[in-house]
Amino acid sequence: MALINVIPEVSTYAVAVPGGNGRPASVQVRDANGDKVLQTVFPFPDFEETPSVAMADVNGDGILDLVAGTGKGVSPEVVAYDGNNTKDGVFKTELTRFAPFDADFKGGITVAGSDIDGNALADNIIVGSGPGMESQVKVFASTLPSESGKAPDVFSAFTPYPGSQSGVSLATGMVESGSGREIIVTAPGPGD
């Protein structure tokens, strides 16, 4: 008997496109087979810097959804778009939109998504703080609220670098295949 690690085929990926000169930042969702643009989304209409983006199945339908977070200079906000809405178009319908940290924090955030809470149907939205506050990572519950603007419950939160205010970069993945679980990987921001 041997352990086999199955890596699913990559079907889509997201590219953040900074705005500027009155143009809001956008996110292009591309097909990994041919690099075709499937959708261009403007997640934060007044934001001209570079957003953070990730792909994850946050609604549990088996299709990747788009998760975007604001960068520095504005209040922190996360939005997720449905990757399987044939009625309104893929990546057009908002699944959730919420503030992961206090509105007065303007250091930006990073986003990721993966199954951390063990709910094999839906992925968790994971948010890391940018520079300007003590490093924080929040893992939000995989059950999305039905009320717009309300954040999912916090499943877990931790401070990866106590005392550091340099920010946190996030990634997720299968680091140790023996557990069969996705892992959150963090790195401190510049200066640490």
PDB file of all heavy atoms in Angstrom, residues 5 23 26 54 82 85 97 114 123 140 156 166 168 177 184:
ATOM      1  N   ASN A   5      -0.757  11.199  -3.423  1.00  0.00           N
ATOM      2  CA  ASN A   5      -1.196  12.571  -3.263  1.00  0.00           C
ATOM      3  C   ASN A   5      -1.774  13.041  -4.593  1.00  0.00           C
ATOM      4  O   ASN A   5      -1.046  13.153  -5.580  1.00  0.00           O
ATOM      5  CB  ASN A   5      -0.017  13.451  -2.832  1.00  0.00           C
ATOM      6  CG  ASN A   5      -0.464  14.817  -2.390  1.00  0.00           C
ATOM      7  OD1 ASN A   5      -1.647  15.064  -2.227  1.00  0.00           O
ATOM      8  ND2 ASN A   5       0.486  15.702  -2.191  1.00  0.00           N
ATOM      9  N   ARG A  23      -8.708  55.472 -12.217  1.00  0.00           N
ATOM     10  CA  ARG A  23      -9.175  54.131 -12.586  1.00  0.00           C
ATOM     11  C   ARG A  23      -9.083  53.223 -11.368  1.00  0.00           C
ATOM     12  O   ARG A  23      -8.035  53.126 -10.748  1.00  0.00           O
ATOM     13  CB  ARG A  23      -8.294  53.507 -13.671  1.00  0.00           C
ATOM     14  CG  ARG A  23      -8.468  54.078 -15.042  1.00  0.00           C
ATOM     15  CD  ARG A  23      -7.485  53.425 -16.013  1.00  0.00           C
ATOM     16  NE  ARG A  23      -6.142  53.518 -15.402  1.00  0.00           N
ATOM     17  CZ  ARG A  23      -5.271  52.522 -15.327  1.00  0.00           C
ATOM     18  NH1 ARG A  23      -5.539  51.359 -15.809  1.00  0.00           N
ATOM     19  NH2 ARG A  23      -4.096  52.682 -14.764  1.00  0.00           N
ATOM     20  N   SER A  26      -8.505  46.433 -10.599  1.00  0.00           N
ATOM     21  CA  SER A  26      -9.361  45.359 -11.080  1.00  0.00           C
ATOM     22  C   SER A  26      -8.689  44.015 -10.810  1.00  0.00           C
ATOM     23  O   SER A  26      -7.523  43.953 -10.436  1.00  0.00           O
ATOM     24  CB  SER A  26      -9.646  45.514 -12.582  1.00  0.00           C
ATOM     25  OG  SER A  26      -8.450  45.409 -13.333  1.00  0.00           O
ATOM     26  N   ALA A  54      -7.148  35.681  -4.171  1.00  0.00           N
ATOM     27  CA  ALA A  54      -6.988  34.239  -3.996  1.00  0.00           C
ATOM     28  C   ALA A  54      -8.177  33.543  -4.648  1.00  0.00           C
ATOM     29  O   ALA A  54      -9.231  34.155  -4.855  1.00  0.00           O
ATOM     30  CB  ALA A  54      -6.926  33.884  -2.515  1.00  0.00           C
ATOM     31  N   ASP A  82     -18.912  34.511  -6.682  1.00  0.00           N
ATOM     32  CA  ASP A  82     -19.276  33.152  -7.081  1.00  0.00           C
ATOM     33  C   ASP A  82     -18.654  32.806  -8.436  1.00  0.00           C
ATOM     34  O   ASP A  82     -18.838  33.524  -9.411  1.00  0.00           O
ATOM     35  CB  ASP A  82     -20.804  33.056  -7.157  1.00  0.00           C
ATOM     36  CG  ASP A  82     -21.312  31.640  -7.299  1.00  0.00           C
ATOM     37  OD1 ASP A  82     -20.502  30.715  -7.511  1.00  0.00           O
ATOM     38  OD2 ASP A  82     -22.544  31.457  -7.193  1.00  0.00           O
ATOM     39  N   ASN A  85     -21.894  31.147 -11.307  1.00  0.00           N
ATOM     40  CA  ASN A  85     -23.209  31.752 -11.490  1.00  0.00           C
ATOM     41  C   ASN A  85     -23.457  31.932 -12.980  1.00  0.00           C
ATOM     42  O   ASN A  85     -22.966  32.878 -13.594  1.00  0.00           O
ATOM     43  CB  ASN A  85     -23.301  33.091 -10.767  1.00  0.00           C
ATOM     44  CG  ASN A  85     -24.711  33.649 -10.776  1.00  0.00           C
ATOM     45  OD1 ASN A  85     -25.442  33.492 -11.735  1.00  0.00           O
ATOM     46  ND2 ASN A  85     -25.089  34.302  -9.697  1.00  0.00           N
ATOM     47  N   ARG A  97     -19.264  40.086   1.601  1.00  0.00           N
ATOM     48  CA  ARG A  97     -18.429  41.299   1.641  1.00  0.00           C
ATOM     49  C   ARG A  97     -18.414  41.746   3.095  1.00  0.00           C
ATOM     50  O   ARG A  97     -19.465  41.933   3.684  1.00  0.00           O
ATOM     51  CB  ARG A  97     -18.989  42.389   0.738  1.00  0.00           C
ATOM     52  CG  ARG A  97     -18.139  43.670   0.718  1.00  0.00           C
ATOM     53  CD  ARG A  97     -18.722  44.735  -0.197  1.00  0.00           C
ATOM     54  NE  ARG A  97     -18.597  44.404  -1.600  1.00  0.00           N
ATOM     55  CZ  ARG A  97     -17.587  44.791  -2.387  1.00  0.00           C
ATOM     56  NH1 ARG A  97     -16.616  45.524  -1.890  1.00  0.00           N
ATOM     57  NH2 ARG A  97     -17.572  44.449  -3.661  1.00  0.00           N
ATOM     58  N   SER A 114      -8.711  28.153   2.032  1.00  0.00           N
ATOM     59  CA  SER A 114      -8.445  26.718   2.096  1.00  0.00           C
ATOM     60  C   SER A 114      -9.352  26.100   3.148  1.00  0.00           C
ATOM     61  O   SER A 114      -9.913  26.795   3.980  1.00  0.00           O
ATOM     62  CB  SER A 114      -6.981  26.483   2.465  1.00  0.00           C
ATOM     63  OG  SER A 114      -6.643  25.139   2.261  1.00  0.00           O
ATOM     64  N   ASP A 123     -14.357  26.056   1.638  1.00  0.00           N
ATOM     65  CA  ASP A 123     -13.083  26.568   2.133  1.00  0.00           C
ATOM     66  C   ASP A 123     -13.312  27.758   3.063  1.00  0.00           C
ATOM     67  O   ASP A 123     -14.321  28.459   2.971  1.00  0.00           O
ATOM     68  CB  ASP A 123     -12.203  27.021   0.965  1.00  0.00           C
ATOM     69  CG  ASP A 123     -11.704  25.857   0.123  1.00  0.00           C
ATOM     70  OD1 ASP A 123     -11.628  24.728   0.649  1.00  0.00           O
ATOM     71  OD2 ASP A 123     -11.383  26.083  -1.056  1.00  0.00           O
ATOM     72  N   PHE A 140     -11.818  32.682   8.947  1.00  0.00           N
ATOM     73  CA  PHE A 140     -13.258  32.844   9.088  1.00  0.00           C
ATOM     74  C   PHE A 140     -13.958  31.503   8.814  1.00  0.00           C
ATOM     75  O   PHE A 140     -13.506  30.705   8.001  1.00  0.00           O
ATOM     76  CB  PHE A 140     -13.770  33.940   8.150  1.00  0.00           C
ATOM     77  CG  PHE A 140     -13.317  35.301   8.573  1.00  0.00           C
ATOM     78  CD1 PHE A 140     -12.129  35.841   8.110  1.00  0.00           C
ATOM     79  CD2 PHE A 140     -14.052  36.033   9.494  1.00  0.00           C
ATOM     80  CE1 PHE A 140     -11.690  37.080   8.530  1.00  0.00           C
ATOM     81  CE2 PHE A 140     -13.635  37.280   9.926  1.00  0.00           C
ATOM     82  CZ  PHE A 140     -12.443  37.804   9.446  1.00  0.00           C
ATOM     83  N   SER A 156     -10.826  30.851  13.893  1.00  0.00           N
ATOM     84  CA  SER A 156      -9.557  30.854  14.615  1.00  0.00           C
ATOM     85  C   SER A 156      -8.838  32.163  14.308  1.00  0.00           C
ATOM     86  O   SER A 156      -9.010  32.733  13.236  1.00  0.00           O
ATOM     87  CB  SER A 156      -8.703  29.665  14.173  1.00  0.00           C
ATOM     88  OG  SER A 156      -7.466  29.661  14.833  1.00  0.00           O
ATOM     89  N   SER A 166       4.999  44.600  10.940  1.00  0.00           N
ATOM     90  CA  SER A 166       5.441  44.651   9.546  1.00  0.00           C
ATOM     91  C   SER A 166       4.440  44.038   8.570  1.00  0.00           C
ATOM     92  O   SER A 166       4.623  44.115   7.367  1.00  0.00           O
ATOM     93  CB  SER A 166       6.791  43.942   9.396  1.00  0.00           C
ATOM     94  OG  SER A 166       6.656  42.559   9.640  1.00  0.00           O
ATOM     95  N   VAL A 168       1.663  40.630   7.439  1.00  0.00           N
ATOM     96  CA  VAL A 168       1.721  39.182   7.268  1.00  0.00           C
ATOM     97  C   VAL A 168       1.358  38.833   5.828  1.00  0.00           C
ATOM     98  O   VAL A 168       0.325  39.260   5.330  1.00  0.00           O
ATOM     99  CB  VAL A 168       0.709  38.465   8.207  1.00  0.00           C
ATOM    100  CG1 VAL A 168       0.791  36.960   8.032  1.00  0.00           C
ATOM    101  CG2 VAL A 168       0.929  38.847   9.651  1.00  0.00           C
ATOM    102  N   SER A 177       2.056  15.929   3.670  1.00  0.00           N
ATOM    103  CA  SER A 177       0.989  15.112   3.097  1.00  0.00           C
ATOM    104  C   SER A 177       0.450  14.045   4.045  1.00  0.00           C
ATOM    105  O   SER A 177      -0.645  13.549   3.845  1.00  0.00           O
ATOM    106  CB  SER A 177       1.455  14.462   1.795  1.00  0.00           C
ATOM    107  OG  SER A 177       2.555  13.603   2.045  1.00  0.00           O
ATOM    108  N   ILE A 184      -1.722  26.704   6.825  1.00  0.00           N
ATOM    109  CA  ILE A 184      -1.532  28.135   6.599  1.00  0.00           C
ATOM    110  C   ILE A 184      -0.052  28.424   6.731  1.00  0.00           C
ATOM    111  O   ILE A 184       0.575  28.072   7.738  1.00  0.00           O
ATOM    112  CB  ILE A 184      -2.327  28.983   7.608  1.00  0.00           C
ATOM    113  CG1 ILE A 184      -3.819  28.708   7.495  1.00  0.00           C
ATOM    114  CG2 ILE A 184      -2.027  30.472   7.407  1.00  0.00           C
ATOM    115  CD1 ILE A 184      -4.651  29.337   8.581  1.00  0.00           C
TER     116      ILE A 184
END
